[in-house]
Amino acid sequence: MSKNTLLAYALLIPGLGFVLVFIVVVISMAIAQSVGYFNFAGDSKFTLKFWHEILANDQLWRSFFYSLKIATISAIFSIAFAYPLALWLRKPFSGSQFISSLLKAPLLVHGLVAAFLYVNFISFNGFLNLIFVHLGFVSRPIRMQNDTYGIGVIILQVWKQMPFALLLLSNAVQSIGDDIINAARDLGAGSWNRFIKIILPLTLRALQAALIIIFIGAVGDYSFQAVAGPTSVNSLTQFMLRMKNSSVDGWHLSATVALLLMLTALVGSLLLAFITERIVKWGAKR
């Protein structure tokens, strides 16, 4: 191994080492607490009663399926909006840099701030209701805040995450050479066929990366759900916090939910990436 390679690995140690140590410590503590260790209110001993109690809780499964729905829809919609924009901005034109920067502006806004702005916009006396009443669409304001289906949370997730998907997909789309696109066009491939058979397969890795990162972020979101989410159902993160304050065993129950949350993020993102790869390869072979 050359000196430059050793130097590169050595430079990674401060950042990577801290991240790995922190991850290992946090996950180890969560696993230990979920099976009865680090007990702050009694004896620390191995037990599976917290797992039995949590898995038998109907609220857990409502939170699980709700978080899964929000994360999956948010990831798919973010990608669906980002792809056309990435293709449109592939070739530089007058003002394209400004438009690209404007589209990525939500990355600079904190999620909590975005959630409060959104709630103010759609609230009973908010700007949107004032416009609707003024234009005569409705006779009185509509109650849109904290909707039952989590539509507001999905809108916020897509608004916040789409620029990130655009960032990844733009780089991937711009790396495709013009000669490949032109060759496909000369062979008679239309816009849709060029997208399905060339652009999607060549940008598959960026697509999977965007899907995975957005899914993990959305399934573990707390701020959007707490501010704009429905009041009738909790996300997994809200349920985890509620369990912590539920009883003397709260920390153990909360640690169990945390492990389920991490497992959901891991399995869900891998499954999403696998399904995407199968669909893209199937489309390319047709």
mmCIF file of all heavy atoms in Angstrom, residues 93-112:
data_model
loop_
_atom_site.group_PDB
_atom_site.id
_atom_site.type_symbol
_atom_site.label_atom_id
_atom_site.label_comp_id
_atom_site.label_asym_id
_atom_site.label_seq_id
_atom_site.Cartn_x
_atom_site.Cartn_y
_atom_site.Cartn_z
ATOM 1 N N PHE A 93 -28.817 27.112 -20.185
ATOM 2 C CA PHE A 93 -29.442 28.161 -20.994
ATOM 3 C C PHE A 93 -29.482 29.425 -20.154
ATOM 4 O O PHE A 93 -29.136 29.401 -18.951
ATOM 5 C CB PHE A 93 -30.838 27.738 -21.468
ATOM 6 C CG PHE A 93 -31.777 27.374 -20.348
ATOM 7 C CD1 PHE A 93 -32.549 28.333 -19.711
ATOM 8 C CD2 PHE A 93 -31.878 26.039 -19.916
ATOM 9 C CE1 PHE A 93 -33.409 27.983 -18.676
ATOM 10 C CE2 PHE A 93 -32.743 25.696 -18.892
ATOM 11 C CZ PHE A 93 -33.499 26.667 -18.263
ATOM 12 N N SER A 94 -29.892 30.497 -20.768
ATOM 13 C CA SER A 94 -29.898 31.773 -20.057
ATOM 14 C C SER A 94 -30.848 31.699 -18.849
ATOM 15 O O SER A 94 -32.047 31.458 -19.015
ATOM 16 C CB SER A 94 -30.357 32.873 -21.022
ATOM 17 O OG SER A 94 -30.403 34.108 -20.356
ATOM 18 N N GLY A 95 -30.305 31.890 -17.674
ATOM 19 C CA GLY A 95 -31.118 31.852 -16.455
ATOM 20 C C GLY A 95 -31.207 30.495 -15.805
ATOM 21 O O GLY A 95 -31.851 30.354 -14.761
ATOM 22 N N SER A 96 -30.591 29.473 -16.417
ATOM 23 C CA SER A 96 -30.704 28.123 -15.852
ATOM 24 C C SER A 96 -30.037 28.009 -14.476
ATOM 25 O O SER A 96 -30.534 27.311 -13.598
ATOM 26 C CB SER A 96 -30.111 27.093 -16.809
ATOM 27 O OG SER A 96 -28.736 27.343 -17.017
ATOM 28 N N GLN A 97 -28.922 28.708 -14.308
ATOM 29 C CA GLN A 97 -28.237 28.674 -13.012
ATOM 30 C C GLN A 97 -29.099 29.299 -11.922
ATOM 31 O O GLN A 97 -29.176 28.794 -10.801
ATOM 32 C CB GLN A 97 -26.896 29.418 -13.111
ATOM 33 C CG GLN A 97 -25.805 28.662 -13.843
ATOM 34 C CD GLN A 97 -25.385 27.412 -13.087
ATOM 35 O OE1 GLN A 97 -25.481 27.326 -11.878
ATOM 36 N NE2 GLN A 97 -24.924 26.404 -13.834
ATOM 37 N N PHE A 98 -29.765 30.394 -12.274
ATOM 38 C CA PHE A 98 -30.634 31.067 -11.295
ATOM 39 C C PHE A 98 -31.812 30.164 -10.917
ATOM 40 O O PHE A 98 -32.159 30.026 -9.735
ATOM 41 C CB PHE A 98 -31.141 32.385 -11.880
ATOM 42 C CG PHE A 98 -32.160 33.060 -11.022
ATOM 43 C CD1 PHE A 98 -31.776 33.714 -9.851
ATOM 44 C CD2 PHE A 98 -33.513 33.044 -11.366
ATOM 45 C CE1 PHE A 98 -32.723 34.331 -9.039
ATOM 46 C CE2 PHE A 98 -34.457 33.653 -10.563
ATOM 47 C CZ PHE A 98 -34.058 34.305 -9.405
ATOM 48 N N ILE A 99 -32.431 29.526 -11.948
ATOM 49 C CA ILE A 99 -33.566 28.634 -11.683
ATOM 50 C C ILE A 99 -33.134 27.444 -10.836
ATOM 51 O O ILE A 99 -33.822 27.034 -9.896
ATOM 52 C CB ILE A 99 -34.180 28.153 -13.018
ATOM 53 C CG1 ILE A 99 -34.775 29.333 -13.777
ATOM 54 C CG2 ILE A 99 -35.241 27.086 -12.784
ATOM 55 C CD1 ILE A 99 -35.223 29.005 -15.186
ATOM 56 N N SER A 100 -31.958 26.896 -11.177
ATOM 57 C CA SER A 100 -31.439 25.757 -10.415
ATOM 58 C C SER A 100 -31.202 26.133 -8.947
ATOM 59 O O SER A 100 -31.554 25.370 -8.041
ATOM 60 C CB SER A 100 -30.135 25.263 -11.051
ATOM 61 O OG SER A 100 -29.609 24.196 -10.326
ATOM 62 N N SER A 101 -30.630 27.296 -8.731
ATOM 63 C CA SER A 101 -30.380 27.754 -7.353
ATOM 64 C C SER A 101 -31.686 27.978 -6.605
ATOM 65 O O SER A 101 -31.814 27.659 -5.414
ATOM 66 C CB SER A 101 -29.570 29.049 -7.365
ATOM 67 O OG SER A 101 -28.350 28.864 -8.041
ATOM 68 N N LEU A 102 -32.671 28.536 -7.315
ATOM 69 C CA LEU A 102 -33.973 28.807 -6.691
ATOM 70 C C LEU A 102 -34.656 27.503 -6.283
ATOM 71 O O LEU A 102 -35.258 27.409 -5.204
ATOM 72 C CB LEU A 102 -34.856 29.571 -7.680
ATOM 73 C CG LEU A 102 -36.057 30.331 -7.098
ATOM 74 C CD1 LEU A 102 -35.579 31.419 -6.145
ATOM 75 C CD2 LEU A 102 -36.882 30.939 -8.230
ATOM 76 N N LEU A 103 -34.556 26.480 -7.148
ATOM 77 C CA LEU A 103 -35.182 25.193 -6.846
ATOM 78 C C LEU A 103 -34.533 24.508 -5.646
ATOM 79 O O LEU A 103 -35.181 23.722 -4.949
ATOM 80 C CB LEU A 103 -35.101 24.272 -8.072
ATOM 81 C CG LEU A 103 -36.004 24.649 -9.254
ATOM 82 C CD1 LEU A 103 -35.645 23.827 -10.483
ATOM 83 C CD2 LEU A 103 -37.466 24.421 -8.894
ATOM 84 N N LYS A 104 -33.245 24.793 -5.434
ATOM 85 C CA LYS A 104 -32.539 24.165 -4.325
ATOM 86 C C LYS A 104 -32.619 24.985 -3.034
ATOM 87 O O LYS A 104 -32.065 24.584 -2.004
ATOM 88 C CB LYS A 104 -31.075 23.927 -4.703
ATOM 89 C CG LYS A 104 -30.919 22.897 -5.818
ATOM 90 C CD LYS A 104 -29.535 22.912 -6.413
ATOM 91 C CE LYS A 104 -29.473 21.996 -7.639
ATOM 92 N NZ LYS A 104 -28.259 22.209 -8.439
ATOM 93 N N ALA A 105 -33.288 26.114 -3.093
ATOM 94 C CA ALA A 105 -33.372 26.997 -1.921
ATOM 95 C C ALA A 105 -33.988 26.319 -0.691
ATOM 96 O O ALA A 105 -33.568 26.608 0.441
ATOM 97 C CB ALA A 105 -34.163 28.259 -2.280
ATOM 98 N N PRO A 106 -34.993 25.421 -0.850
ATOM 99 C CA PRO A 106 -35.554 24.773 0.354
ATOM 100 C C PRO A 106 -34.523 24.029 1.197
ATOM 101 O O PRO A 106 -34.762 23.800 2.387
ATOM 102 C CB PRO A 106 -36.587 23.802 -0.228
ATOM 103 C CG PRO A 106 -37.029 24.442 -1.495
ATOM 104 C CD PRO A 106 -35.787 25.093 -2.055
ATOM 105 N N LEU A 107 -33.380 23.654 0.599
ATOM 106 C CA LEU A 107 -32.346 22.980 1.385
ATOM 107 C C LEU A 107 -31.809 23.880 2.490
ATOM 108 O O LEU A 107 -31.296 23.399 3.504
ATOM 109 C CB LEU A 107 -31.183 22.552 0.466
ATOM 110 C CG LEU A 107 -31.486 21.417 -0.525
ATOM 111 C CD1 LEU A 107 -30.310 21.230 -1.474
ATOM 112 C CD2 LEU A 107 -31.771 20.122 0.216
ATOM 113 N N LEU A 108 -31.929 25.192 2.298
ATOM 114 C CA LEU A 108 -31.399 26.140 3.280
ATOM 115 C C LEU A 108 -32.397 26.433 4.396
ATOM 116 O O LEU A 108 -32.047 27.079 5.381
ATOM 117 C CB LEU A 108 -31.021 27.455 2.581
ATOM 118 C CG LEU A 108 -29.994 27.340 1.443
ATOM 119 C CD1 LEU A 108 -29.810 28.682 0.767
ATOM 120 C CD2 LEU A 108 -28.669 26.813 1.991
ATOM 121 N N VAL A 109 -33.635 26.016 4.215
ATOM 122 C CA VAL A 109 -34.677 26.309 5.218
ATOM 123 C C VAL A 109 -34.789 25.137 6.180
ATOM 124 O O VAL A 109 -34.942 23.988 5.759
ATOM 125 C CB VAL A 109 -36.035 26.561 4.523
ATOM 126 C CG1 VAL A 109 -37.096 26.895 5.566
ATOM 127 C CG2 VAL A 109 -35.907 27.671 3.501
ATOM 128 N N HIS A 110 -34.739 25.426 7.451
ATOM 129 C CA HIS A 110 -34.876 24.361 8.443
ATOM 130 C C HIS A 110 -36.278 23.756 8.378
ATOM 131 O O HIS A 110 -37.263 24.458 8.126
ATOM 132 C CB HIS A 110 -34.617 24.928 9.839
ATOM 133 C CG HIS A 110 -34.469 23.872 10.893
ATOM 134 N ND1 HIS A 110 -35.551 23.288 11.507
ATOM 135 C CD2 HIS A 110 -33.370 23.270 11.400
ATOM 136 C CE1 HIS A 110 -35.133 22.388 12.373
ATOM 137 N NE2 HIS A 110 -33.813 22.347 12.314
ATOM 138 N N GLY A 111 -36.369 22.447 8.606
ATOM 139 C CA GLY A 111 -37.649 21.759 8.506
ATOM 140 C C GLY A 111 -38.717 22.314 9.416
ATOM 141 O O GLY A 111 -39.887 22.440 9.039
ATOM 142 N N LEU A 112 -38.340 22.682 10.628
ATOM 143 C CA LEU A 112 -39.312 23.219 11.588
ATOM 144 C C LEU A 112 -39.860 24.560 11.111
ATOM 145 O O LEU A 112 -41.063 24.844 11.243
ATOM 146 C CB LEU A 112 -38.650 23.371 12.955
ATOM 147 C CG LEU A 112 -39.567 23.439 14.169
ATOM 148 C CD1 LEU A 112 -40.489 22.239 14.225
ATOM 149 C CD2 LEU A 112 -38.754 23.550 15.448
#
